[in-house]
Amino acid sequence: MEESTKLVDESTEALWYVVHTYSGYENKVANDLQTMVENRHLQDLICDIKVPVEMVPEIDKNGKQKMVEHKLFPGYVLVKMVMNDDTWYVVRNTRGCTGFVGPASKPVPLTAEEVEKMGVEKAAPLSVDFAVGDTVQITAGPLEGFMGLVEAIDTENFKVKLKVNMFGRETPAEVEIGQVELP
């Protein structure tokens, strides 16, 4: 039996791959790769490039709290791409990139569960059975059992902004869409 000499298994589906970079070069690699994709007209093959970050509160030297961006996976860039020899070559030869994550640098795509857990892609927006102006009951979380007036619905981030009557006062609250229902 003849062993395959191809570096990658070619597929027509765009999947998420993890690219290893020099530490501190994540944004530079992402920007350089994006420029290369545009210059070579590869937008249909390399669909998305992300450096996952989160905002974290930090105290500065004056004692004031400010929000600072922290990389969730230092030294890594996530790339959604159709894997073939050409796209592999473009990504692999981007300055600052040291290779794909996988055995013997053979790219292995992230599973759907990994993509979801890492929060790389948002799930499709929900449809809800209540609207702005409706009164809903909070069914979970610290405000469980309270009623609230819906002020805004953010289906992309799965949040609902409410006015909750607590101790005789209207209090603004934001909860997950799954934590409220019509009474």
Side-chain angles (χ1 to χ4, degrees):
M1 196 178 229
E2 196 175 292
E3 202 172 308
S4 174
T5 57
K6 282 195 169 239
L7 290 169
V8 296
D9 296 327
E10 294 197 12
S11 155
T12 57
E13 184 183 359
L15 299 170
W16 284 100
Y17 293 87
V18 181
V19 176
H20 194 269
T21 68
Y22 294 125
S23 186
Y25 280 72
E26 301 88 355
N27 292 335
K28 176 124 181 69
V29 168
N31 291 336
D32 289 352
L33 186 53
Q34 187 62 48
T35 302
M36 225 181 301
V37 166
E38 289 166 10
N39 291 344
R40 296 181 182 206
H41 306 289
L42 296 171
Q43 292 90 336
D44 55 335
L45 296 174
I46 300 178
C47 313
D48 201 358
I49 302 160
K50 291 192 177 186
V51 179
V53 293
E54 66 181 343
M55 297 304 285
V56 177
E58 235 178 51
I59 308 294
D60 66 11
K61 61 184 176 192
N62 299 327
K64 298 215 189 283
Q65 182 174 321
K66 63 179 183 174
M67 296 303 279
V68 178
E69 196 175 83
H70 276 256
K71 291 178 181 70
L72 289 175
F73 310 108
Y76 296 96
V77 174
L78 303 174
V79 181
K80 185 173 187 175
M81 60 190 278
V82 175
M83 184 60 74
N84 63 36
D85 286 341
D86 294 334
T87 56
W88 178 90
Y89 182 85
V90 167
V91 173
R92 183 62 188 85
N93 289 295
T94 300
R95 175 178 273 149
C97 171
T98 60
F100 283 91
V101 172
S105 286
K106 183 177 179 187
V108 175
L110 294 173
T111 64
E113 294 80 31
E114 290 169 329
V115 169
E116 190 177 321
K117 281 182 184 173
M118 294 167 83
V120 176
E121 283 185 318
K122 297 241 185 251
L126 290 177
S127 61
V128 292
D129 57 352
F130 50 86
V132 173
D134 286 350
T135 300
V136 293
Q137 174 147 9
I138 302 172
T139 59
L143 300 174
E144 184 176 351
F146 282 95
M147 300 292 280
L149 180 68
V150 178
E151 291 199 315
I153 303 169
D154 182 356
T155 54
E156 284 187 19
N157 294 310
F158 308 106
K159 301 276 187 190
V160 181
K161 288 189 180 183
L162 306 168
K163 281 276 191 211
V164 180
N165 189 345
M166 294 174 51
F167 313 114
R169 293 180 181 221
E170 292 286 314
T171 306
E174 186 176 78
V175 297
E176 301 284 327
I177 285 179
Q179 295 178 328
V180 297
E181 64 182 31
L182 287 171

